[in-house]
Amino acid sequence: MKLLEIQSSVRKENSVSRTLSNEFIQAWQTDRPNIQHKLRDVGINPPEHPTGLWAKANNMPPEERSPEMMAALAESEALIEELLWADYLLMGVPMYNLSVPSSLKAYLDNVIRINRTFTFDPVTYTFQGLARGKKALIITPSAANFVVGTPLGKMNFCDTYLLSVLGFIGIDEVSVVPVPDQFMPDEIRQQEIATAKAKLMDLARDW
Protein backbone atom coordinates (compact mmCIF):
# COMPACT_ATOMS: atom_id res chain seq x y z
CA MET A 1 0.00 0.00 0.00
CA LYS A 2 1.19 3.49 -0.85
CA LEU A 3 0.43 6.67 1.09
CA LEU A 4 0.89 10.19 -0.24
CA GLU A 5 0.90 12.79 2.54
CA ILE A 6 0.18 16.34 1.38
CA GLN A 7 0.87 19.10 3.88
CA SER A 8 -0.13 22.70 3.18
CA SER A 9 0.41 24.60 6.43
CA VAL A 10 2.94 27.44 6.19
CA ARG A 11 3.99 26.58 9.73
CA LYS A 12 6.80 24.12 10.25
CA GLU A 13 6.44 24.29 14.04
CA ASN A 14 3.25 24.36 16.12
CA SER A 15 1.13 23.19 13.20
CA VAL A 16 -1.98 21.33 14.34
CA SER A 17 -2.50 19.70 10.93
CA ARG A 18 1.11 18.46 10.78
CA THR A 19 1.08 17.17 14.36
CA LEU A 20 -2.20 15.28 13.96
CA SER A 21 -1.09 13.89 10.60
CA ASN A 22 2.09 12.51 12.16
CA GLU A 23 0.15 10.91 15.01
CA PHE A 24 -2.32 9.36 12.59
CA ILE A 25 0.42 7.93 10.37
CA GLN A 26 2.24 6.41 13.33
CA ALA A 27 -0.96 4.74 14.54
CA TRP A 28 -1.98 3.62 11.05
CA GLN A 29 1.42 2.08 10.32
CA THR A 30 1.39 -0.01 13.49
CA ASP A 31 -0.36 -2.90 11.75
CA ARG A 32 0.94 -1.97 8.28
CA PRO A 33 4.74 -1.89 8.53
CA ASN A 34 5.25 -2.22 4.77
CA ILE A 35 3.47 1.01 3.83
CA GLN A 36 5.33 3.14 1.30
CA HIS A 37 5.06 6.77 2.40
CA LYS A 38 5.84 9.93 0.43
CA LEU A 39 5.51 13.49 1.71
CA ARG A 40 4.59 16.36 -0.58
CA ASP A 41 4.99 19.56 1.44
CA VAL A 42 3.35 22.31 -0.59
CA GLY A 43 3.18 24.59 2.44
CA ILE A 44 6.96 24.87 2.64
CA ASN A 45 7.80 24.10 -1.01
CA PRO A 46 4.84 25.24 -3.13
CA PRO A 47 4.67 24.29 -6.80
CA GLU A 48 4.83 26.86 -9.57
CA HIS A 49 1.55 28.44 -10.60
CA PRO A 50 0.34 27.60 -14.12
CA THR A 51 1.38 30.12 -16.77
CA GLY A 52 0.12 31.03 -20.22
CA LEU A 53 2.60 28.60 -21.78
CA TRP A 54 1.52 25.92 -19.31
CA ALA A 55 -2.14 26.41 -20.26
CA LYS A 56 -1.38 26.30 -23.98
CA ALA A 57 0.65 23.11 -23.58
CA ASN A 58 -2.01 21.51 -21.41
CA ASN A 59 -4.63 21.97 -24.12
CA MET A 60 -2.44 20.60 -26.90
CA PRO A 61 -1.92 16.92 -27.82
CA PRO A 62 1.30 15.67 -26.18
CA GLU A 63 2.91 14.81 -29.51
CA GLU A 64 2.51 18.42 -30.69
CA ARG A 65 4.16 20.08 -27.69
CA SER A 66 7.42 21.91 -28.16
CA PRO A 67 10.37 21.30 -25.81
CA GLU A 68 9.48 24.57 -24.04
CA MET A 69 5.92 23.36 -23.52
CA MET A 70 7.08 20.02 -22.15
CA ALA A 71 9.39 21.87 -19.76
CA ALA A 72 6.48 24.07 -18.62
CA LEU A 73 4.46 20.94 -17.77
CA ALA A 74 7.32 18.95 -16.23
CA GLU A 75 6.53 19.73 -12.60
CA SER A 76 2.83 19.14 -13.17
CA GLU A 77 3.54 15.76 -14.78
CA ALA A 78 5.70 14.70 -11.83
CA LEU A 79 3.01 15.73 -9.34
CA ILE A 80 0.35 13.83 -11.28
CA GLU A 81 2.46 10.67 -11.44
CA GLU A 82 2.99 10.91 -7.68
CA LEU A 83 -0.74 11.33 -7.09
CA LEU A 84 -1.64 8.39 -9.34
CA TRP A 85 1.02 6.27 -7.59
CA ALA A 86 -0.76 6.54 -4.25
CA ASP A 87 -3.50 4.30 -2.89
CA TYR A 88 -4.19 6.65 0.03
CA LEU A 89 -4.05 10.44 0.39
CA LEU A 90 -3.60 12.17 3.73
CA MET A 91 -4.07 15.92 3.47
CA GLY A 92 -3.25 18.40 6.22
CA VAL A 93 -5.22 21.50 5.23
CA PRO A 94 -5.61 24.42 7.65
CA MET A 95 -8.41 26.78 6.67
CA TYR A 96 -7.01 30.13 5.52
CA ASN A 97 -9.57 32.91 5.04
CA LEU A 98 -12.46 30.44 4.69
CA SER A 99 -10.73 28.30 2.03
CA VAL A 100 -7.60 26.27 1.31
CA PRO A 101 -4.04 27.67 1.46
CA SER A 102 -2.99 29.26 -1.83
CA SER A 103 -0.09 26.82 -2.15
CA LEU A 104 -2.52 23.90 -2.08
CA LYS A 105 -4.67 25.58 -4.73
CA ALA A 106 -1.55 25.86 -6.91
CA TYR A 107 -0.89 22.16 -6.32
CA LEU A 108 -4.44 21.20 -7.25
CA ASP A 109 -4.31 23.38 -10.38
CA ASN A 110 -1.22 21.39 -11.39
CA VAL A 111 -2.73 17.94 -10.85
CA ILE A 112 -6.32 18.48 -12.07
CA ARG A 113 -5.70 18.26 -15.79
CA ILE A 114 -7.79 17.04 -18.70
CA ASN A 115 -6.81 13.60 -20.03
CA ARG A 116 -4.50 13.11 -17.05
CA THR A 117 -6.74 13.07 -13.99
CA PHE A 118 -10.13 13.59 -15.68
CA THR A 119 -11.74 13.32 -19.09
CA PHE A 120 -14.50 15.34 -20.74
CA ASP A 121 -16.95 14.09 -23.35
CA PRO A 122 -17.97 17.08 -25.53
CA VAL A 123 -20.93 15.16 -26.92
CA THR A 124 -22.57 14.25 -23.61
CA TYR A 125 -21.00 17.07 -21.56
CA THR A 126 -19.89 14.58 -18.93
CA PHE A 127 -16.71 14.36 -16.90
CA GLN A 128 -15.00 11.22 -15.61
CA GLY A 129 -12.26 11.07 -13.01
CA LEU A 130 -9.12 9.08 -13.76
CA ALA A 131 -7.77 8.86 -10.20
CA ARG A 132 -10.30 6.31 -9.01
CA GLY A 133 -9.74 3.57 -6.43
CA LYS A 134 -8.15 5.75 -3.75
CA LYS A 135 -9.11 6.78 -0.23
CA ALA A 136 -8.49 10.25 1.15
CA LEU A 137 -8.36 11.68 4.65
CA ILE A 138 -8.42 15.45 5.21
CA ILE A 139 -7.49 17.10 8.53
CA THR A 140 -8.80 20.67 8.60
CA PRO A 141 -7.99 22.97 11.54
CA SER A 142 -9.84 26.29 11.56
CA ALA A 143 -9.92 29.44 13.68
CA ALA A 144 -13.56 29.10 14.75
CA ASN A 145 -16.29 26.52 14.35
CA PHE A 146 -16.78 26.42 10.58
CA VAL A 147 -17.85 22.77 10.59
CA VAL A 148 -20.46 22.15 7.90
CA GLY A 149 -23.90 22.17 9.53
CA THR A 150 -23.03 24.79 12.16
CA PRO A 151 -24.09 28.47 11.91
CA LEU A 152 -20.72 29.40 10.34
CA GLY A 153 -20.63 26.28 8.19
CA LYS A 154 -22.02 28.07 5.15
CA MET A 155 -18.73 30.00 4.97
CA ASN A 156 -16.66 26.80 4.85
CA PHE A 157 -15.18 26.80 1.35
CA CYS A 158 -12.30 24.58 2.46
CA ASP A 159 -13.98 21.21 3.06
CA THR A 160 -16.60 21.72 0.37
CA TYR A 161 -14.01 22.66 -2.25
CA LEU A 162 -11.77 19.70 -1.44
CA LEU A 163 -14.64 17.23 -1.52
CA SER A 164 -15.71 18.63 -4.89
CA VAL A 165 -12.30 18.60 -6.59
CA LEU A 166 -11.34 15.18 -5.24
CA GLY A 167 -14.68 13.78 -6.41
CA PHE A 168 -14.13 15.45 -9.78
CA ILE A 169 -10.98 13.37 -10.38
CA GLY A 170 -12.61 10.19 -9.10
CA ILE A 171 -11.71 10.16 -5.40
CA ASP A 172 -15.05 9.99 -3.64
CA GLU A 173 -14.17 7.91 -0.59
CA VAL A 174 -13.10 10.84 1.58
CA SER A 175 -13.07 11.31 5.37
CA VAL A 176 -12.86 14.81 6.85
CA VAL A 177 -11.72 15.38 10.43
CA PRO A 178 -12.26 19.03 11.43
CA VAL A 179 -10.33 20.72 14.23
CA PRO A 180 -12.36 23.87 14.95
CA ASP A 181 -11.92 26.75 17.42
CA GLN A 182 -8.13 27.03 17.17
CA PHE A 183 -8.26 30.81 17.90
CA MET A 184 -10.26 30.21 21.07
CA PRO A 185 -8.87 29.99 24.66
CA ASP A 186 -6.38 27.18 25.17
CA GLU A 187 -8.79 24.94 27.09
CA ILE A 188 -11.22 24.96 24.16
CA ARG A 189 -8.41 24.52 21.62
CA GLN A 190 -6.98 21.51 23.38
CA GLN A 191 -10.38 19.88 23.76
CA GLU A 192 -11.01 20.17 20.01
CA ILE A 193 -7.57 18.77 19.25
CA ALA A 194 -8.23 15.84 21.61
CA THR A 195 -11.59 15.19 19.95
CA ALA A 196 -10.01 15.20 16.51
CA LYS A 197 -7.20 12.91 17.65
CA ALA A 198 -9.72 10.41 19.02
CA LYS A 199 -11.51 10.37 15.65
CA LEU A 200 -8.21 9.86 13.87
CA MET A 201 -7.21 6.98 16.12
CA ASP A 202 -10.55 5.31 15.35
CA LEU A 203 -9.93 5.83 11.63
CA ALA A 204 -6.41 4.44 11.93
CA ARG A 205 -7.84 1.04 12.83
CA ASP A 206 -10.20 0.81 9.86
CA TRP A 207 -8.91 3.10 7.10
Side-chain angles (χ1 to χ4, degrees), residues 13-55:
E13 306 292 335
N14 302 315
S15 166
V16 173
S17 52
R18 291 178 186 275
T19 299
L20 288 176
S21 294
N22 287 337
E23 292 178 352
F24 173 82
I25 290 171
Q26 291 176 13
W28 190 58
Q29 286 182 322
T30 299
D31 297 321
R32 303 168 183 84
N34 296 320
I35 287 290
Q36 298 178 62
H37 173 212
K38 289 185 180 180
L39 171 63
R40 173 60 56 180
D41 196 332
V42 302
I44 304 302
N45 297 299
E48 293 291 328
H49 287 275
T51 63
L53 180 61
W54 185 105

Short mmCIF file of all heavy atoms in Angstrom, two decimals, residues 13-55:
data_model
loop_
_atom_site.label_atom_id
_atom_site.label_comp_id
_atom_site.label_asym_id
_atom_site.label_seq_id
_atom_site.Cartn_x
_atom_site.Cartn_y
_atom_site.Cartn_z
N GLU A 13 6.60 24.60 12.62
CA GLU A 13 6.44 24.29 14.04
C GLU A 13 5.04 24.69 14.48
O GLU A 13 4.42 25.59 13.92
CB GLU A 13 7.48 25.04 14.88
CG GLU A 13 8.92 24.82 14.44
CD GLU A 13 9.39 23.41 14.67
OE1 GLU A 13 8.84 22.73 15.57
OE2 GLU A 13 10.32 22.97 13.96
N ASN A 14 4.54 24.02 15.52
CA ASN A 14 3.25 24.36 16.12
C ASN A 14 2.10 24.30 15.12
O ASN A 14 1.13 25.05 15.21
CB ASN A 14 3.29 25.75 16.77
CG ASN A 14 4.35 25.86 17.83
OD1 ASN A 14 4.51 24.96 18.66
ND2 ASN A 14 5.11 26.95 17.81
N SER A 15 2.19 23.38 14.17
CA SER A 15 1.13 23.19 13.20
C SER A 15 0.23 22.05 13.66
O SER A 15 0.69 20.91 13.82
CB SER A 15 1.71 22.85 11.82
OG SER A 15 0.71 22.36 10.97
N VAL A 16 -1.03 22.35 13.89
CA VAL A 16 -1.98 21.33 14.34
C VAL A 16 -2.16 20.26 13.26
O VAL A 16 -2.18 19.05 13.55
CB VAL A 16 -3.34 21.98 14.69
CG1 VAL A 16 -4.39 20.92 15.00
CG2 VAL A 16 -3.18 22.91 15.88
N SER A 17 -2.28 20.67 12.01
CA SER A 17 -2.50 19.70 10.93
C SER A 17 -1.30 18.77 10.77
O SER A 17 -1.47 17.56 10.55
CB SER A 17 -2.81 20.41 9.62
OG SER A 17 -1.84 21.38 9.31
N ARG A 18 -0.09 19.30 10.90
CA ARG A 18 1.11 18.46 10.78
C ARG A 18 1.21 17.49 11.96
O ARG A 18 1.53 16.31 11.79
CB ARG A 18 2.36 19.33 10.69
CG ARG A 18 2.49 20.12 9.40
CD ARG A 18 3.74 20.99 9.43
NE ARG A 18 3.82 21.87 8.28
CZ ARG A 18 4.31 21.52 7.09
NH1 ARG A 18 4.77 20.30 6.92
NH2 ARG A 18 4.34 22.38 6.09
N THR A 19 0.97 18.01 13.17
CA THR A 19 1.08 17.17 14.36
C THR A 19 0.07 16.02 14.32
O THR A 19 0.43 14.85 14.56
CB THR A 19 0.85 18.01 15.62
OG1 THR A 19 1.86 19.02 15.70
CG2 THR A 19 0.91 17.14 16.87
N LEU A 20 -1.19 16.33 14.01
CA LEU A 20 -2.20 15.28 13.96
C LEU A 20 -1.94 14.30 12.82
O LEU A 20 -2.20 13.10 12.96
CB LEU A 20 -3.59 15.91 13.84
CG LEU A 20 -4.10 16.61 15.09
CD1 LEU A 20 -5.45 17.29 14.81
CD2 LEU A 20 -4.26 15.64 16.26
N SER A 21 -1.43 14.79 11.71
CA SER A 21 -1.09 13.89 10.60
C SER A 21 -0.01 12.89 11.04
O SER A 21 -0.11 11.69 10.75
CB SER A 21 -0.60 14.69 9.39
OG SER A 21 -1.63 15.48 8.85
N ASN A 22 1.01 13.39 11.69
CA ASN A 22 2.09 12.51 12.16
C ASN A 22 1.57 11.45 13.12
O ASN A 22 1.94 10.27 13.04
CB ASN A 22 3.19 13.32 12.84
CG ASN A 22 4.01 14.13 11.85
OD1 ASN A 22 4.09 13.79 10.67
ND2 ASN A 22 4.63 15.20 12.33
N GLU A 23 0.70 11.86 14.03
CA GLU A 23 0.15 10.91 15.01
C GLU A 23 -0.74 9.87 14.32
O GLU A 23 -0.71 8.68 14.68
CB GLU A 23 -0.62 11.67 16.08
CG GLU A 23 0.28 12.51 16.97
CD GLU A 23 -0.49 13.31 18.00
OE1 GLU A 23 -1.73 13.35 17.95
OE2 GLU A 23 0.18 13.92 18.87
N PHE A 24 -1.50 10.31 13.32
CA PHE A 24 -2.32 9.36 12.59
C PHE A 24 -1.46 8.34 11.84
O PHE A 24 -1.72 7.13 11.89
CB PHE A 24 -3.24 10.08 11.60
CG PHE A 24 -3.97 9.13 10.69
CD1 PHE A 24 -5.14 8.52 11.12
CD2 PHE A 24 -3.48 8.84 9.42
CE1 PHE A 24 -5.80 7.61 10.29
CE2 PHE A 24 -4.15 7.94 8.60
CZ PHE A 24 -5.31 7.33 9.04
N ILE A 25 -0.43 8.83 11.15
CA ILE A 25 0.42 7.93 10.37
C ILE A 25 1.09 6.90 11.27
O ILE A 25 1.16 5.71 10.94
CB ILE A 25 1.46 8.73 9.57
CG1 ILE A 25 0.76 9.52 8.45
CG2 ILE A 25 2.52 7.81 8.97
CD1 ILE A 25 1.66 10.51 7.74
N GLN A 26 1.59 7.35 12.41
CA GLN A 26 2.24 6.41 13.33
C GLN A 26 1.27 5.33 13.79
O GLN A 26 1.62 4.14 13.84
CB GLN A 26 2.79 7.17 14.54
CG GLN A 26 3.98 8.06 14.21
CD GLN A 26 4.45 8.88 15.39
OE1 GLN A 26 4.07 8.62 16.53
NE2 GLN A 26 5.27 9.89 15.14
N ALA A 27 0.03 5.72 14.10
CA ALA A 27 -0.96 4.74 14.54
C ALA A 27 -1.36 3.82 13.38
O ALA A 27 -1.51 2.60 13.56
CB ALA A 27 -2.19 5.46 15.09
N TRP A 28 -1.53 4.38 12.22
CA TRP A 28 -1.98 3.62 11.05
C TRP A 28 -0.94 2.60 10.61
O TRP A 28 -1.25 1.50 10.18
CB TRP A 28 -2.29 4.59 9.92
CG TRP A 28 -2.98 3.98 8.74
CD1 TRP A 28 -4.17 3.31 8.73
CD2 TRP A 28 -2.52 3.99 7.39
NE1 TRP A 28 -4.49 2.91 7.45
CE2 TRP A 28 -3.50 3.32 6.60
CE3 TRP A 28 -1.41 4.52 6.75
CZ2 TRP A 28 -3.38 3.15 5.23
CZ3 TRP A 28 -1.29 4.36 5.38
CH2 TRP A 28 -2.26 3.68 4.64
N GLN A 29 0.34 2.97 10.74
CA GLN A 29 1.42 2.08 10.32
C GLN A 29 1.69 0.95 11.29
O GLN A 29 2.43 0.02 10.95
CB GLN A 29 2.70 2.89 10.10
CG GLN A 29 2.70 3.75 8.85
CD GLN A 29 4.00 4.49 8.66
OE1 GLN A 29 4.60 4.95 9.63
NE2 GLN A 29 4.43 4.65 7.43
N THR A 30 1.11 1.02 12.48
CA THR A 30 1.39 -0.01 13.49
C THR A 30 1.13 -1.40 12.96
O THR A 30 1.93 -2.32 13.15
CB THR A 30 0.53 0.24 14.75
OG1 THR A 30 0.86 1.52 15.28
CG2 THR A 30 0.79 -0.83 15.80
N ASP A 31 -0.01 -1.59 12.29
CA ASP A 31 -0.36 -2.90 11.75
C ASP A 31 -0.06 -3.00 10.26
O ASP A 31 -0.45 -3.98 9.60
CB ASP A 31 -1.84 -3.19 11.99
CG ASP A 31 -2.18 -3.26 13.47
OD1 ASP A 31 -1.36 -3.80 14.24
OD2 ASP A 31 -3.26 -2.76 13.86
N ARG A 32 0.62 -2.00 9.71
CA ARG A 32 0.94 -1.97 8.28
C ARG A 32 2.40 -1.52 8.10
O ARG A 32 2.67 -0.48 7.52
CB ARG A 32 -0.01 -1.00 7.56
CG ARG A 32 -1.48 -1.34 7.75
CD ARG A 32 -2.37 -0.19 7.27
NE ARG A 32 -3.77 -0.42 7.49
CZ ARG A 32 -4.41 -0.18 8.63
NH1 ARG A 32 -3.74 0.29 9.68
NH2 ARG A 32 -5.70 -0.43 8.74
N PRO A 33 3.33 -2.32 8.54
CA PRO A 33 4.74 -1.89 8.53
C PRO A 33 5.33 -1.73 7.13
O PRO A 33 6.38 -1.10 6.98
CB PRO A 33 5.45 -3.00 9.31
CG PRO A 33 4.56 -4.20 9.15
CD PRO A 33 3.16 -3.67 9.12
N ASN A 34 4.68 -2.27 6.12
CA ASN A 34 5.25 -2.22 4.77
C ASN A 34 4.69 -1.08 3.92
O ASN A 34 4.88 -1.07 2.70
CB ASN A 34 5.01 -3.56 4.05
CG ASN A 34 5.73 -4.71 4.74
OD1 ASN A 34 6.87 -4.55 5.19
ND2 ASN A 34 5.08 -5.85 4.83
N ILE A 35 4.01 -0.13 4.56
CA ILE A 35 3.47 1.01 3.83
C ILE A 35 4.60 1.83 3.20
O ILE A 35 5.62 2.12 3.84
CB ILE A 35 2.67 1.92 4.79
CG1 ILE A 35 1.34 1.25 5.17
CG2 ILE A 35 2.39 3.28 4.18
CD1 ILE A 35 0.36 1.17 4.02
N GLN A 36 4.43 2.19 1.94
CA GLN A 36 5.33 3.14 1.30
C GLN A 36 4.74 4.54 1.50
O GLN A 36 3.58 4.78 1.19
CB GLN A 36 5.46 2.84 -0.19
CG GLN A 36 6.05 1.48 -0.49
CD GLN A 36 6.11 1.23 -1.99
OE1 GLN A 36 6.79 1.96 -2.73
NE2 GLN A 36 5.41 0.22 -2.45
N HIS A 37 5.55 5.45 1.99
CA HIS A 37 5.06 6.77 2.40
C HIS A 37 5.88 7.86 1.72
O HIS A 37 7.11 7.88 1.80
CB HIS A 37 5.18 6.90 3.93
CG HIS A 37 4.87 8.25 4.46
ND1 HIS A 37 5.48 8.77 5.59
CD2 HIS A 37 4.03 9.23 4.02
CE1 HIS A 37 5.03 9.99 5.82
NE2 HIS A 37 4.15 10.29 4.88
N LYS A 38 5.19 8.75 1.01
CA LYS A 38 5.84 9.93 0.43
C LYS A 38 5.19 11.18 1.01
O LYS A 38 3.98 11.22 1.23
CB LYS A 38 5.67 9.94 -1.10
CG LYS A 38 6.47 8.90 -1.84
CD LYS A 38 6.31 9.09 -3.35
CE LYS A 38 7.09 8.05 -4.13
NZ LYS A 38 6.93 8.24 -5.60
N LEU A 39 6.00 12.20 1.23
CA LEU A 39 5.51 13.49 1.71
C LEU A 39 5.67 14.53 0.61
O LEU A 39 6.75 14.73 0.07
CB LEU A 39 6.30 13.94 2.95
CG LEU A 39 6.04 15.38 3.43
CD1 LEU A 39 4.59 15.57 3.85
CD2 LEU A 39 6.99 15.74 4.56
N ARG A 40 4.57 15.21 0.32
CA ARG A 40 4.59 16.36 -0.58
C ARG A 40 4.22 17.58 0.25
O ARG A 40 3.07 17.76 0.63
CB ARG A 40 3.59 16.15 -1.72
CG ARG A 40 3.40 17.35 -2.64
CD ARG A 40 4.66 17.78 -3.34
NE ARG A 40 5.28 16.71 -4.12
CZ ARG A 40 6.40 16.85 -4.81
NH1 ARG A 40 7.03 18.02 -4.81
NH2 ARG A 40 6.92 15.83 -5.48
N ASP A 41 5.20 18.42 0.55
CA ASP A 41 4.99 19.56 1.44
C ASP A 41 4.83 20.83 0.62
O ASP A 41 5.79 21.55 0.34
CB ASP A 41 6.16 19.69 2.41
CG ASP A 41 5.84 20.59 3.59
OD1 ASP A 41 5.00 21.50 3.42
OD2 ASP A 41 6.43 20.40 4.66
N VAL A 42 3.60 21.12 0.23
CA VAL A 42 3.35 22.31 -0.59
C VAL A 42 3.28 23.57 0.26
O VAL A 42 3.32 24.68 -0.28
CB VAL A 42 2.07 22.15 -1.44
CG1 VAL A 42 2.18 20.93 -2.33
CG2 VAL A 42 0.82 22.07 -0.58
N GLY A 43 3.17 23.42 1.58
CA GLY A 43 3.18 24.59 2.44
C GLY A 43 4.55 25.22 2.51
O GLY A 43 4.69 26.45 2.51
N ILE A 44 5.58 24.39 2.56
CA ILE A 44 6.96 24.87 2.64
C ILE A 44 7.59 25.00 1.25
O ILE A 44 8.37 25.92 1.00
CB ILE A 44 7.80 23.93 3.52
CG1 ILE A 44 7.17 23.79 4.91
CG2 ILE A 44 9.24 24.43 3.64
CD1 ILE A 44 6.99 25.08 5.67
N ASN A 45 7.24 24.08 0.35
CA ASN A 45 7.80 24.10 -1.01
C ASN A 45 6.65 24.08 -2.02
O ASN A 45 6.36 23.04 -2.62
CB ASN A 45 8.71 22.89 -1.22
CG ASN A 45 9.91 22.90 -0.29
OD1 ASN A 45 10.72 23.83 -0.34
ND2 ASN A 45 10.02 21.89 0.56
N PRO A 46 6.00 25.22 -2.22
CA PRO A 46 4.84 25.24 -3.13
C PRO A 46 5.25 25.05 -4.58
O PRO A 46 6.35 25.45 -4.99
CB PRO A 46 4.26 26.65 -2.92
CG PRO A 46 5.41 27.46 -2.43
CD PRO A 46 6.26 26.53 -1.63
N PRO A 47 4.38 24.43 -5.38
CA PRO A 47 4.67 24.29 -6.80
C PRO A 47 4.50 25.62 -7.52
O PRO A 47 3.89 26.55 -6.99
CB PRO A 47 3.64 23.27 -7.28
CG PRO A 47 2.49 23.46 -6.33
CD PRO A 47 3.10 23.83 -5.01
N GLU A 48 5.01 25.68 -8.74
CA GLU A 48 4.83 26.86 -9.57
C GLU A 48 3.36 26.99 -9.97
O GLU A 48 2.67 26.00 -10.18
CB GLU A 48 5.68 26.78 -10.83
CG GLU A 48 7.18 26.83 -10.58
CD GLU A 48 7.64 28.20 -10.08
OE1 GLU A 48 7.02 29.21 -10.49
OE2 GLU A 48 8.60 28.25 -9.30
N HIS A 49 2.89 28.22 -10.08
CA HIS A 49 1.55 28.44 -10.60
C HIS A 49 1.54 28.19 -12.11
O HIS A 49 2.54 28.45 -12.79
CB HIS A 49 1.09 29.87 -10.33
CG HIS A 49 0.74 30.12 -8.90
ND1 HIS A 49 -0.50 29.85 -8.38
CD2 HIS A 49 1.48 30.61 -7.88
CE1 HIS A 49 -0.52 30.17 -7.10
NE2 HIS A 49 0.67 30.62 -6.76
N PRO A 50 0.44 27.71 -12.66
CA PRO A 50 0.34 27.60 -14.12
C PRO A 50 0.55 28.95 -14.79
O PRO A 50 0.20 30.00 -14.24
CB PRO A 50 -1.08 27.08 -14.33
CG PRO A 50 -1.40 26.34 -13.07
CD PRO A 50 -0.74 27.13 -11.98
N THR A 51 1.13 28.91 -15.98
CA THR A 51 1.38 30.12 -16.77
C THR A 51 0.63 30.03 -18.09
O THR A 51 -0.02 29.01 -18.38
CB THR A 51 2.88 30.25 -17.06
OG1 THR A 51 3.28 29.12 -17.86
CG2 THR A 51 3.70 30.29 -15.77
N GLY A 52 0.75 31.07 -18.90
CA GLY A 52 0.12 31.03 -20.22
C GLY A 52 0.67 29.90 -21.07
O GLY A 52 -0.09 29.20 -21.76
N LEU A 53 2.00 29.69 -21.03
CA LEU A 53 2.60 28.60 -21.78
C LEU A 53 2.12 27.25 -21.26
O LEU A 53 1.85 26.33 -22.03
CB LEU A 53 4.12 28.70 -21.71
CG LEU A 53 4.91 27.62 -22.47
CD1 LEU A 53 4.61 27.67 -23.96
CD2 LEU A 53 6.42 27.80 -22.22
N TRP A 54 2.03 27.15 -19.94
CA TRP A 54 1.52 25.92 -19.31
C TRP A 54 0.12 25.61 -19.82
O TRP A 54 -0.18 24.47 -20.22
CB TRP A 54 1.51 26.14 -17.79
CG TRP A 54 1.14 24.99 -16.92
CD1 TRP A 54 2.00 24.23 -16.17
CD2 TRP A 54 -0.17 24.48 -16.64
NE1 TRP A 54 1.30 23.28 -15.46
CE2 TRP A 54 -0.04 23.41 -15.73
CE3 TRP A 54 -1.46 24.81 -17.08
CZ2 TRP A 54 -1.12 22.68 -15.24
CZ3 TRP A 54 -2.54 24.08 -16.60
CH2 TRP A 54 -2.38 23.03 -15.70
N ALA A 55 -0.76 26.61 -19.83
CA ALA A 55 -2.14 26.41 -20.26
C ALA A 55 -2.21 26.01 -21.73
O ALA A 55 -3.00 25.13 -22.12
CB ALA A 55 -2.95 27.68 -20.01
#
